[in-house]
Amino acid sequence: MKEGFRRMFKLGVITDEITKDLRRAVEVARELNLDCVELRDIGGKNVKDLTDADIRTVRGLVEAAGMEVVCIASPFFKCHLASEQEVREHLRFLPRLTEIAKALDTNLIRVFAFWTVGSLDEHWDAIVERLREAAGIAESEGAVLALENEHATYLGKGCEVRRAMEEVGSGSLRVTWDPGNAFCAGEVPYPDGYRAARDYMVHVHVKDAMRDPAAGRHRFVKIGTGEIDYEGQLRALLEDRYEGCVSLETHYKLPGDGEKSTRETLQGLREVLRRIQQ
C-alpha cells in the first residue's frame, strides 16, 4: 500500500465496536495503526453522561496512545419528534455535549434526525425547524453537528440529508456519511448517495451489508464482501481529497468478539484500499 496516499484521510474506529472497555479498545486501535477514535459507550456509560473526571481519564488514555478523539458519537435527536418532552431533553443536554467535545479537542458531534414514525414529507418542516434550532446552539458553542444518515431515522439517504443541509442553511450542521445506512435505507450508496451528500460531508462511517432474502432484511458483513461498492466509494474519497476520518462502525459481529470483528472489518477495508491504489 502507498501509505502516503492512504493518509489523505485518517482511519479510526468507534471504540465500543471493539469493546466497552476503553483502555482495551484504545490498545487495539493503536495496535491496528489507526489514527483516531470515536466515542459512544464507555464502560456502559453513554458519552453524553461522562463526568469531568471521566473526560480526564479518556483524554489520558487516548493521548498516551498517540491518538486523537475525532468525534463524539452522541445519541442527540435519536428520539421521537412528536414528543416535545423528549426533544426538549435532547436540546437540554446538547450544551454539555459541546463541553465534552471541546475537552477532548474535537468540534464534531454526531447527531440524528428522529426515529421514523410516519412519512418524511408529513414531518419535513418540523424536522428542519428542530435541526435549525440545534445548529444555532452548536454555532454559539463553536461546535459542528455531524448529521448521520441513519436508516431508522427520517433522513437515511444522501439525497435526504443534502436537502436538509440546504434548507437549514447553517455551517454548524454538516453530514456524517454512512454508505451502510444508505444501503439499508434503499439508496444506492455509491455513486448516488455519496454524490448527493459529499458537499456537506465532514465525517464518514463505514460498514458493509448485503440483503438476506431468507430473513427478509439486510445483514452486516466484512467490508468488501457485501453489496456496497466500496472500491468506488473509497476511490472517490481519495480523488475528492477528503481529509477527514473514515471511522469503522463495524456492526459485523462475530459471536461475542467485537475485537475480532473489528480486525476483520479493518482487514477488508485495507484490502480494498490496496486494490484501488495498485
Side-chain angles (χ1 to χ4, degrees):
M1 184 190 302
K2 299 176 182 177
E3 186 70 2
F5 189 33
R6 194 273 289 177
R7 289 291 175 174
M8 286 178 67
F9 55 74
K10 301 173 184 177
L11 289 180
V13 66
I14 300 178
T15 57
D16 62 64
E17 293 279 330
I18 302 172
T19 172
K20 293 180 181 180
D21 179 349
L22 183 65
R23 186 178 299 275
R24 177 57 185 162
V26 170
E27 287 175 354
V28 172
R30 179 176 58 180
E31 179 187 333
L32 293 173
N33 294 317
L34 297 177
D35 304 292
C36 44
V37 293
E38 185 171 348
L39 304 177
R40 181 172 58 195
D41 188 307
I42 299 170
K45 181 182 288 189
N46 189 280
V47 66
K48 74 178 178 64
D49 298 319
L50 295 181
T51 65
D52 290 348
D54 293 331
I55 292 168
R56 288 191 292 272
T57 298
V58 170
R59 182 168 181 143
L61 288 172
V62 175
E63 287 182 348
M67 305 178 75
E68 64 177 302
V69 175
V70 68
C71 182
I72 303 302
S74 86
F76 183 76
F77 276 175
K78 222 173 194 182
C79 63
H80 292 93
L81 177 64
S83 172
E84 182 66 17
Q85 180 179 351
E86 289 184 24
V87 172
R88 298 314 304 177
E89 172 61 18
H90 280 240
L91 289 168
R92 184 194 65 77
F93 67 66
L94 180 55
R96 176 56 179 169
L97 283 170
T98 68
E99 291 177 358
I100 293 169
K102 288 178 186 177
L104 294 171
D105 291 332
T106 183
N107 70 337
L108 287 184
I109 301 170
R110 186 276 307 272
V111 303
F112 299 96
F114 309 100
W115 298 120
T116 301
V117 181
S119 74
L120 176 59
D121 287 342
E122 177 186 0
H123 298 289
W124 182 261
D125 289 343
I127 293 167
V128 169
E129 178 183 352
R130 290 305 196 180
L131 289 174
R132 187 177 289 126
E133 182 178 0
I137 295 171
E139 183 176 3
S140 69
E141 299 290 342
V144 174
L145 305 183
L147 176 66
E148 180 172 346
N149 59 298
E150 159 63 58
H151 63 281
T153 70
Y154 284 110
L155 305 180
K157 301 177 181 179
C159 59
E160 293 166 348
V161 293
R162 181 185 182 91
R163 180 184 170 199
M165 296 302 109
E166 291 173 344
E167 293 203 22
V168 171
S170 171
S172 293
L173 182 68
R174 286 294 181 259
V175 173
T176 293
W177 172 238
D178 189 317
N181 284 342
F183 176 82
C184 295
E187 184 176 51
V188 176
Y190 180 83
D192 299 1
Y194 173 71
R195 289 178 179 170
R198 65 181 172 185
D199 290 346
Y200 298 95
M201 186 182 72
V202 292
H203 190 49
V204 176
H205 284 170
V206 289
K207 51 183 175 276
D208 208 347
M210 62 190 305
R211 295 172 184 83
D212 187 344
R217 55 182 176 80
H218 60 266
R219 61 185 176 91
F220 296 107
V221 296
K222 173 181 170 180
I223 287 178
T225 64
E227 296 182 49
I228 298 171
D229 179 9
Y230 268 109
E231 288 197 16
Q233 175 65 90
L234 293 169
R235 184 179 290 109
L237 289 175
L238 292 168
E239 291 175 350
D240 290 343
R241 304 190 70 81
Y242 172 65
E243 295 181 346
C245 179
V246 171
S247 190
L248 293 174
E249 189 179 17
T250 313
H251 276 28
Y252 160 60
K253 291 292 187 184
L254 298 172
D257 199 337
E259 183 175 324
K260 186 174 181 182
S261 303
T262 298
R263 290 179 186 275
E264 288 195 11
T265 302
L266 179 61
Q267 178 189 30
L269 176 62
R270 284 179 164 149
E271 286 172 355
V272 175
L273 283 168
R274 277 194 291 271
R275 288 198 298 272
I276 67 176
Q277 295 181 65
Q278 287 176 350

